[in-house]
Amino acid sequence: MNEENVVDAFNNGGIIAYPTEAVFGLGCDPDNEESLKHLLALKQRSAEKGLILLAGNYSQLLPYIDDSKIPQDKRFTMLSRWPDGITQLVPKNSNISPLLSGKFDTIAVRITSQPDVVALCKQTNKPIVSTSANLSGQEPAKTWQTLDPVLSKQVDFIIEGVTLGHSSPSKIMHALTGKVIRT
């Protein structure tokens, strides 16, 4: 991975295809409204659904969540579920773009150990938006070589890394209630 180019693409509002735990994701800078709109249009995804933020550590998520609404015991449980494989719905910061949270009062977040993502998040000191690299309703790509050719031509950077080999996309659960939304 050419780290300088991927960081430039991220900082300049580009859409990046990258490996996650199980599938390839598409993402961008969560603070760039135009990038978020472009990503949703590219995916043909409804803005009401919201998006996931993928980070290398918890501190990168703090600007996007309302940590004060997470009781200490729930925070401990939430953090113990990471890294990898579990996306958690947490109270959102009221200042974030509604494109990140959709119609919800929570935001979906996950901490990963996927090295390419961790490196990008470390260099930008931000999480990256994460949604599967496919058009809505189609199967997500598991390798960069199997990315949809239409999508491949429309992204600004492809990280040619490998997933962590998980068999299915992340489980989604509510961090405070433990309710599973997607298995």
Side-chain angles (χ1 to χ4, degrees):
M1 167 174 92
N2 183 332
E3 291 180 8
E4 214 170 284
N5 291 342
V6 71
V7 171
D8 287 346
F10 181 94
N11 289 334
N12 292 323
I15 304 298
I16 299 164
Y18 60 90
T20 68
E21 294 88 356
V23 298
F24 256 67
L26 292 177
C28 62
D29 179 344
D31 297 318
N32 187 319
E33 196 80 6
E34 290 306 309
S35 296
L36 294 170
K37 290 176 184 173
H38 182 209
L39 178 62
L40 290 169
L42 184 62
K43 275 261 313 178
Q44 300 169 9
R45 181 178 171 91
S46 165
E48 285 189 349
K49 290 183 174 182
L51 296 159
I52 295 171
L53 292 183
L54 192 54
N57 64 57
Y58 189 65
S59 66
Q60 293 163 351
L61 297 171
L62 291 175
Y64 307 92
I65 66 176
D66 187 345
D67 190 65
S68 70
K69 289 186 180 171
I70 304 171
Q72 187 60 38
D73 61 326
K74 300 290 186 184
R75 184 179 303 105
F76 177 79
T77 302
M78 179 180 81
L79 293 173
S80 73
R81 294 181 182 125
W82 286 325
D84 306 322
I86 298 178
T87 297
Q88 299 185 75
L89 305 178
V90 299
K92 70 178 182 181
N93 181 324
S94 60
N95 298 329
I96 66 168
S97 168
L99 297 177
L100 291 174
S101 57
K103 62 181 180 180
F104 306 101
D105 60 0
T106 56
I107 184 165
V109 296
R110 187 168 76 250
I111 295 174
T112 187
S113 66
Q114 201 292 334
D116 297 313
V117 177
V118 171
L120 176 60
C121 292
K122 185 177 182 179
Q123 288 191 291
T124 61
N125 198 31
K126 286 186 178 186
I128 186 169
V129 170
S130 189
T131 183
S132 56
N134 59 296
L135 299 175
S136 284
Q138 295 184 356
E139 282 295 308
K142 292 193 181 271
T143 66
W144 65 269
Q145 296 96 329
T146 59
L147 285 166
D148 181 304
V150 174
L151 284 178
S152 292
K153 291 182 179 127
Q154 296 182 58
V155 300
D156 298 287
F157 196 94
I158 299 172
I159 296 177
E160 297 177 357
V162 295
T163 68
L164 296 182
H166 291 209
S167 58
S168 59
S170 68
K171 175 195 288 192
I172 299 177
M173 67 188 307
H174 196 288
L176 302 184
T177 66
K179 180 181 177 191
V180 175
I181 314 301
R182 177 179 81 187
T183 55

